[in-house]
Amino acid sequence: VLLNPRGVLNQFQGAARDLADELEYLKGKTARANAGAGLAVSIPNETLSLAFVAKGYAHGRVSSSIDQGDIDYLRRIEGSDTYALVEAGKAAIEGSDEITKHLNSTASGRAAIVSDYGIAVARQFTFGDVPVSIGVTPKLQKTWLYNYTTSIYNYDSSDWNSSRYRNDDTGFNVDAGIAADFGEHWTVGISGQNLISRDLDTKSITITHGMTGETRNYKDTYQIRPLVTAGVAWQNELLTLSADGDLTETKGFKSEENSQYVGVGAEVRPLDWLAVRAGYRADVKDNDSNVFTGGVGFAPFNRVHLDLMGLYGEDETWGAGAQVSVTF
């Protein structure tokens, strides 16, 4: 026997209102994150320079697919005492699943972690009076893919790393680059990363939706594609100015839009051991945030180099990075 049926009904309708508000807020929202780390041990040589390179980078996205029918259903509960009373009665008899089985919205987390292990080989040649440096890095490439897709009401970030949603792949790839110095001040170059294209499928996740029992499969493909970038720099003892642009698109999951970046930057060296940097990067495809960057570099005794950077851009985009190198 309900001692306060009006209070229970108001509480039930209030919960429906709050959930509908949350779904409306989440509708169309996406969060993205990128991270990277690397290690290089180089052995310079006038004939042939070698370096062992290990690096990893990660790309992740969390998004929701909000069914408008879920919001309409919850708003009916909120706005109609009769409808709310009927649904509350069903829930009391059948359990809370009687409510959630009406709801079809999903949340998905997609992520790719790529690690590269390679040997960089570089040599300088002279063509006429122009020094030209050429480098090639064959590498072993391992990729972990995550496809965490579930009902939005069952979403739990701790489930991301479950083997149910994760798979991996190992393959071969190669990077290459060339740079030329024209006079004392100008350098131009072009680089290519991941020159071998690879398509890697995530695991397929099956979800049963709503009252109809409709079953849907959720799957994506991570695209590793050649990224070719050209750049030019002008420098003297105090100042370096640079500009670069991607000649190919940056790809990721097929479910995402591609980007293509251009950027400009400047470095001022007021002291032998201090550098101050600033830059700007834009996506010409307008699918990613444009960002401003800034940083400082310290090189005491020209043995230890510490570089710190930060970035800030539109759509709540921010980031930070650090690099340490030691010369023996």
Side-chain angles (χ1 to χ4, degrees), residues 5-65:
R6 180 71 253 178
V8 172
L9 187 62
N10 287 341
Q11 185 178 15
F12 183 65
Q13 290 178 301
R17 179 194 64 241
D18 293 343
L19 184 53
D21 289 344
E22 290 182 11
L23 294 182
E24 287 183 337
Y25 173 77
L26 289 172
K27 193 171 185 178
K29 294 286 196 308
T30 299
R32 296 182 177 87
N34 295 286
L39 171 70
V41 179
S42 59
I43 306 173
N45 187 286
E46 292 184 0
T47 303
L48 190 68
S49 296
L50 298 174
F52 169 76
V53 179
K55 63 180 180 178
Y57 55 93
H59 168 70
R61 182 183 88 251
V62 177
S63 60
S64 59
S65 177

Side-chain angles (χ1 to χ4, degrees), residues 253-301:
F253 287 103
K254 275 190 176 180
S255 59
E256 297 178 300
E257 300 290 340
N258 299 330
S259 295
Q260 191 167 355
Y261 300 105
V262 296
V264 293
E267 178 185 272
V268 181
R269 296 175 294 277
L271 301 169
D272 290 342
W273 54 269
L274 176 66
V276 180
R277 306 179 181 105
Y280 179 75
R281 188 199 71 180
D283 177 13
V284 298
K285 299 290 186 180
D286 290 327
N287 294 321
D288 196 4
S289 301
N290 301 328
V291 299
F292 292 93
T293 63
V296 292
F298 304 94
F301 310 110

Side-chain angles (χ1 to χ4, degrees), residues 129-131 181-187:
D129 294 328
V130 179
D181 296 322
F182 294 92
E184 297 181 2
H185 303 294
W186 290 95
T187 301

Side-chain angles (χ1 to χ4, degrees), residues 47-279:
T47 303
L48 190 68
S49 296
L50 298 174
F52 169 76
V53 179
K55 63 180 180 178
Y57 55 93
H59 168 70
R61 182 183 88 251
V62 177
S63 60
S64 59
S65 177
I66 304 301
D67 191 318
Q68 183 60 40
D70 292 3
I71 298 173
D72 296 340
Y73 169 69
L74 295 167
R75 293 301 185 200
R76 285 197 298 272
I77 293 176
E78 175 192 358
S80 170
D81 289 353
T82 302
Y83 192 78
L85 189 60
V86 171
E87 295 303 304
K90 292 179 181 178
I93 296 171
E94 304 292 339
S96 60
D97 287 347
E98 180 65 23
I99 300 299
T100 58
K101 74 181 183 181
H102 286 80
L103 307 177
N104 299 312
S105 298
T106 59
S108 67
R110 306 277 168 80
I113 301 175
V114 182
S115 61
D116 294 340
Y117 309 92
I119 301 294
V121 181
R123 185 175 180 183
Q124 186 178 83
F125 302 87
T126 300
F127 297 94
D129 294 328
V130 179
V132 177
S133 299
I134 300 174
V136 178
T137 306
K139 59 188 184 180
L140 183 70
Q141 189 168 67
K142 183 162 186 177
T143 306
W144 292 266
L145 298 178
Y146 300 80
N147 178 22
Y148 177 41
T149 305
T150 185
S151 166
I152 199 168
Y153 315 102
N154 295 324
Y155 189 90
D156 185 346
S157 59
S158 63
D159 289 338
W160 263 71
N161 201 39
S162 169
S163 59
R164 177 187 174 189
Y165 306 105
R166 183 187 72 243
N167 62 315
D168 60 76
D169 181 270
T170 301
F172 174 82
N173 223 310
V174 63
D175 301 337
I178 182 171
D181 296 322
F182 294 92
E184 297 181 2
H185 303 294
W186 290 95
T187 301
V188 297
I190 187 169
S191 67
Q193 301 178 54
N194 297 323
L195 297 181
I196 300 174
S197 296
R198 302 171 66 208
D199 282 343
L200 309 177
D201 292 332
T202 68
K203 280 194 170 181
S204 180
I205 305 301
T206 301
I207 298 178
T208 301
H209 292 273
M211 296 288 289
T212 63
E214 178 187 1
T215 297
R216 299 180 192 171
N217 293 319
Y218 294 85
K219 186 180 179 181
D220 211 334
T221 300
Y222 188 69
Q223 305 168 105
I224 296 176
R225 291 289 187 275
L227 177 61
V228 181
T229 303
V232 59
W234 180 91
Q235 63 181 343
N236 61 20
E237 292 183 358
L238 176 65
L239 176 68
T240 297
L241 301 174
S242 65
D244 59 66
D246 292 342
L247 305 183
T248 58
E249 296 180 347
T250 296
K251 293 180 178 288
F253 287 103
K254 275 190 176 180
S255 59
E256 297 178 300
E257 300 290 340
N258 299 330
S259 295
Q260 191 167 355
Y261 300 105
V262 296
V264 293
E267 178 185 272
V268 181
R269 296 175 294 277
L271 301 169
D272 290 342
W273 54 269
L274 176 66
V276 180
R277 306 179 181 105

